[in-house]
Amino acid sequence: QGDWSSDVCSSDLQGIRPVIYQLISDKQPSDLINKLKISFQQAGGEWKAIEKESDFPKLDIYAPVIDALFGVGLNRPLCPLTAALVNHINKAFTLVWSVDIPTGMGAETFIPGPKIQATVTISFEAPKPAFFLAQNAGSLGKCKIVSIGLHADYPKQHLTQLQVLLQPYIQSIFHPRKRHQHRGNFGNALMIAGSRGKMGAAILASRACLHSGVGLLTAYIPEAYARSEEHTSELQSPCNLVCRLLLE
């Protein structure tokens, strides 16, 4: 019962005969949904209601699903009927396109419970914060962000602490190295990292810093590990990294 029923209706123009299943809830359908229903049925399309589990459609691998139950995500777990429908779709192992966000997933936080396992998620304008949560990785499938024509100033009116680094921005600050330049031309960085049993973090963070392009990296690590040949050899292997002792 999402806002994108009109797109499903228009797919008939491409030789596809869609069947629309409307999940009935306590909330009354909007006037737009009712008008679309009448128009679709008058054109010979099938529009069916789901009020109980016996109303679920029969699905197979040759019946792709467009998931548009909730257009903007949720802030609570699914109700029992919707959760059962999600599990029913997932068990069919068919192709699923989720509109904006897979059913069962929150837009900003992790919501426990079943979620549509989408083949493709087509989301609008910007990726949702929940897309970056490890718990949701299995539900997104291939994610594509598309524009729906929001005004360019709209994002500027909504302050957020979250930013996404995109390739155009990275290219704007990236400076290719010229011949005959050395590490002194690309700045120094200080890394303070590592603790008992967690020296791998210092190694990974140091390598990432060097990979980002810093000229000289100094790593301050716990003294006990700095005296360990195993860890210092891994840290000092790049020629432009210097290890220092961090006294415990």
Side-chain angles (χ1 to χ4, degrees):
Q1 182 177 318
D3 297 331
W4 288 87
S5 301
S6 56
D7 285 347
V8 179
C9 296
S10 66
S11 64
D12 184 51
L13 299 176
Q14 301 179 11
I16 300 173
R17 295 289 298 179
V19 179
I20 296 179
Y21 285 84
Q22 181 180 0
L23 185 63
I24 304 300
S25 65
D26 296 334
K27 182 180 178 181
Q28 292 295 320
S30 67
D31 291 339
L32 173 61
I33 294 295
N34 289 328
K35 290 178 180 179
L36 286 171
K37 178 180 178 180
I38 295 173
S39 175
F40 187 62
Q41 289 176 328
Q42 289 177 344
E46 292 186 76
W47 190 299
K48 301 182 178 181
I50 296 178
E51 299 183 77
K52 52 187 182 300
E53 291 191 29
S54 59
D55 296 329
F56 289 174
K58 294 182 179 180
L59 302 173
D60 56 48
I61 59 174
Y62 302 107
V65 172
I66 296 177
D67 163 39
L69 287 173
F70 303 101
V72 293
L74 297 174
N75 57 7
R76 64 188 185 283
L78 297 174
C79 70
L81 180 61
T82 308
L85 177 59
V86 166
N87 290 328
H88 175 74
I89 294 173
N90 289 339
K91 290 178 181 178
F93 297 105
T94 186
L95 298 178
V96 180
W97 285 268
S98 286
V99 178
D100 203 22
I101 190 166
T103 292
M105 184 183 297
E108 298 185 0
T109 59
F110 174 71
I111 303 296
K115 300 168 183 61
I116 286 290
Q117 306 296 307
T119 309
V120 178
T121 297
I122 301 177
S123 197
F124 308 124
E125 297 298 343
K128 311 301 185 283
F131 290 1
F132 299 97
L133 299 179
Q135 302 97 315
N136 292 330
S139 298
L140 281 174
K142 182 179 180 181
C143 185
K144 183 175 182 180
I145 308 300
V146 299
S147 174
I148 55 174
L150 288 183
H151 194 281
D153 290 336
Y154 178 81
K156 301 176 183 178
Q157 300 171 4
H158 295 76
L159 299 178
T160 177
Q161 295 179 338
L162 304 176
Q163 299 290 333
V164 178
L165 294 181
L166 300 177
Q167 185 174 351
Y169 173 76
I170 298 298
Q171 290 178 330
S172 71
I173 63 174
F174 176 73
H175 301 287
R177 300 195 177 193
K178 300 178 181 180
R179 296 180 64 181
H180 307 301
Q181 289 186 310
H182 55 83
R183 63 186 184 183
N185 298 120
F186 297 98
N188 301 330
L190 172 64
M191 176 76 66
I192 302 178
S195 62
R196 293 183 183 277
K198 298 178 181 179
M199 280 303 298
I203 295 171
L204 291 174
S206 297
R207 287 178 175 174
C209 186
L210 290 171
H211 188 69
S212 72
V214 67
L216 178 65
L217 172 65
T218 299
Y220 274 80
I221 61 176
E223 181 178 13
Y225 294 95
R227 299 186 185 282
S228 167
E229 182 177 346
E230 175 186 358
H231 293 104
T232 53
S233 61
E234 287 195 65
L235 278 170
Q236 291 179 321
S237 56
C239 60
N240 49 346
L241 186 149
V242 178
C243 283
R244 295 288 186 267
L245 303 184
L246 180 62
L247 299 179
E248 297 180 297

